[in-house]
Amino acid sequence: MQDAASLSPRRLVLRRLIEKRMPLWVLLLAALVGSLAGAVCALFELSVNRLIEGRLGWLGEHPWWQAIFLAFLVSALLGLVGYWLTHAFAPEAGGSGIPEIEGAMEELRPVRWWRVLPVKFFGGLCTLGSGMVLGREGPSVQIGGNLGQMVADLFRLPKEHGHALLAAGAAGGLAAAFNAPLAGILFVMEEMRPQFRYSFLAIKAVGLSAIMGTLVLQAIRGQHPAITLPHYQAPQLQALWLFLCMGLAFGVLGFVFNKLVLACQDGYLALHRNRRWRFVGIGMLVAGLFGVLSLYAPPISGGGIELIPHLVRGDYAMATLFLIFVARLIATLICFCSGAPGGVFAPTLALGTLFGVTFGYLFHAAFPELGIEPGAFAIAGMGALFAATVRAPITGIVLVTEMTDNYQLILPMMITTMGATLMAQWLGGRPIYSQILERTLRLAREREAQCKTG
């Protein structure tokens, strides 16, 4: 950049005017990014739902012996498209995408938005639509972040303002995914705190993007909460220790879950060795299997958001809950660790709800005099596993509160999530997205070293 002393008076005045107006310009672009994130994420959600409904409706018209074969075939073909697009054009679009945004905010990972946006949208549409246990929330964060970088590049913003738009897009994407604007803001400031460059302008950009993303989402799909659940009364003070005990158990579960995710990712890598058709072939088998399960065992397939109301209402017996929990835990590891373009956010919330409602039934039977509904434990558990794995307790509390509209349960949720976080930390666990980013960077360095020696 030219020194101010070497500029002509006219150019100097213009430069000072631009610098003076730059904060307002950044905020206007942040509003644009949030609006784009809200529109694209709403379209992504509607497209996934329409594809799942259309696929299941069409399969339901066939006899069972035909439906099994067709369910496997259709989902395997959807998996073929999703996995091939990812491996061929944008490997960074595989998985959740949140570690990639964190790496980009640290300038450790590239943001190739011209590749990631179409691959994440259409690849994620195929893998989520196949019936796999994947969430659309992680992809929404990556889509939003890439939209922010796209706007920053198109308008040639300086690097520090481009960083603000990248973070703003991530917040807008999460807010639009869950219809939770405050959780979108807190997610960037709490979970991405090592990468987020705090400034008053950046914070305002993140907040404005989350607001606009939520407004656009609500204009498209309505103002109802992400999950419609009963409203529960605040439990009695003498019952709050039960939530702490449950939170400690969630901390152990979160620690084990993170270990299993990393081990399973390494197992997949040992199988396909990053060779395209091995990667795609394994993905097709996984997608085909969950296509059949989505037809005959719906609780074991899909992201899990649609399962949560049934769990909270008590539609399943105790033994069935345990079986669904074990099956979904295994299914989440199989699907998420395969490298498919899809997230683990929603499956984690479903697992937390399953674990929480199981505790709710046990406590309700052991302490009937306290009169606590098992559904209250389910809602508290929804955010506890998220807090233990991601290590963002405040975001987990606010996210679940906004999603379920159960503001009376804030105190027990705080106790549960804090207990889960402290236990996971005491065991030596670390945030899952940070560990995945470190693994990605390590593998990238190893591939680069192999290319140089080869």
Side-chain angles (χ1 to χ4, degrees):
M1 185 177 291
Q2 288 179 285
D3 188 78
S6 63
L7 295 174
S8 65
R10 181 178 297 177
R11 289 188 177 181
L12 185 59
V13 171
L14 180 61
R15 176 177 165 181
R16 288 176 177 173
L17 181 62
I18 292 174
E19 291 176 350
K20 184 178 180 180
R21 298 297 183 186
M22 182 60 75
L24 178 60
W25 182 233
V26 171
L27 293 179
L28 290 175
L29 292 180
L32 173 62
V33 169
S35 301
L36 290 173
V40 174
C41 292
L43 179 61
F44 184 63
E45 177 186 355
L46 294 173
S47 300
V48 169
N49 293 339
R50 185 65 59 87
L51 178 58
I52 293 174
E53 292 170 2
R55 179 177 60 82
L56 294 178
W58 178 70
L59 291 172
E61 299 173 356
H62 295 78
W64 68 267
W65 54 273
Q66 289 183 359
I68 293 176
F69 172 75
L70 292 174
F72 184 90
L73 179 63
V74 170
S75 291
L77 290 176
L78 289 172
L80 167 65
V81 176
Y83 284 92
W84 180 78
L85 283 175
T86 301
H87 198 279
F89 296 103
E92 64 267 36
S96 167
I98 293 176
E100 291 290 334
I101 295 299
E102 293 182 352
M105 292 172 69
E106 286 192 276
E107 300 182 10
L108 298 174
R109 297 291 292 167
V111 182
R112 302 187 297 173
W113 51 263
W114 57 94
R115 286 174 175 258
V116 171
L117 286 174
V119 170
K120 197 72 172 187
F121 188 95
F122 293 105
L125 173 62
C126 290
T127 52
L128 269 71
S130 69
M132 295 176 67
V133 181
L134 297 168
R136 55 182 170 76
E137 297 75 21
S140 296
V141 172
Q142 188 174 21
I143 287 172
N146 277 262
L147 287 171
Q149 189 63 54
M150 179 189 76
V151 171
D153 289 345
L154 293 177
F155 287 90
R156 300 181 180 180
L157 291 185
K159 184 179 292 186
E160 63 271 19
H161 297 317
H163 182 278
L165 287 191
L166 178 65
L174 183 66
F178 285 116
N179 193 14
L182 186 54
I185 298 170
L186 290 174
F187 181 76
V188 171
M189 295 184 182
E190 184 182 29
E191 206 286 325
M192 297 182 175
R193 62 191 180 280
Q195 299 85 20
F196 182 59
R197 298 173 188 171
Y198 285 86
S199 70
F200 194 41
L201 178 62
I203 292 173
K204 287 191 291 185
V206 166
L208 188 57
S209 176
I211 291 170
M212 293 305 300
T214 307
L215 289 175
V216 172
L217 173 79
Q218 292 184 357
I220 294 174
R221 60 178 288 273
Q223 294 180 277
H224 52 83
I227 307 176
T228 303
L229 297 177
H231 290 173
Y232 294 96
Q233 295 297 319
Q236 302 176 35
L237 288 177
Q238 58 266 35
L240 292 180
W241 67 274
L242 297 174
F243 289 90
L244 177 60
C245 293
M246 185 177 74
L248 297 176
F250 266 103
V252 177
L253 176 62
F255 172 78
V256 173
F257 180 79
N258 286 4
K259 293 289 186 183
L260 290 174
V261 166
L262 296 174
C264 195
Q265 286 183 330
D266 290 338
Y268 265 109
L269 182 60
L271 284 176
H272 60 68
R273 300 177 183 176
N274 206 31
R275 295 177 182 175
R276 179 168 302 167
W277 290 112
R278 282 192 183 185
F279 176 79
V280 174
I282 293 171
M284 290 177 65
L285 289 175
V286 173
L289 171 64
F290 282 91
V292 176
L293 288 176
S294 67
L295 193 61
Y296 293 105
I300 305 175
S301 66
I305 293 295
E306 65 287 342
L307 175 65
I308 290 175
H310 299 283
L311 299 175
V312 174
R313 288 198 302 263
D315 293 352
Y316 297 99
M318 185 73 172
T320 306
L321 286 174
F322 178 75
L323 292 175
I324 295 175
F325 172 78
V326 174
R328 282 199 67 90
L329 176 61
I330 297 171
T332 301
L333 295 171
I334 291 174
C335 294
F336 176 67
C337 298
S338 68
V344 73
F345 226 128
T348 300
L349 294 177
L351 285 173
T353 307
L354 276 163
F355 203 58
V357 76
T358 303
F359 269 94
Y361 281 123
L362 291 174
F363 289 150
H364 185 71
F367 306 98
E369 69 278 3
L370 296 178
I372 308 174
E373 293 290 335
F377 287 94
I379 293 173
M382 195 187 305
L385 185 57
F386 170 83
T389 56
V390 179
R391 201 67 62 77
I394 299 176
T395 303
I397 295 165
V398 174
L399 175 64
V400 173
T401 302
E402 288 187 296
M403 286 178 64
T404 66
D405 198 30
N406 267 278
Y407 291 88
Q408 297 295 326
L409 296 179
I410 286 182
L411 182 58
M413 276 193 283
M414 291 175 65
I415 294 172
T416 305
T417 52
M418 288 301 177
T421 305
L422 292 174
M423 174 57 76
Q425 186 174 357
W426 182 76
L427 291 172
R430 297 174 54 231
I432 185 61
Y433 293 132
S434 298
Q435 294 184 74
I436 293 175
L437 175 60
E438 290 176 4
R439 179 181 180 275
T440 301
L441 295 173
R442 175 176 55 81
L443 293 176
R445 288 193 299 268
E446 291 176 358
R447 285 194 294 269
E448 188 176 333
Q450 289 176 358
C451 292
K452 288 180 179 179
T453 58

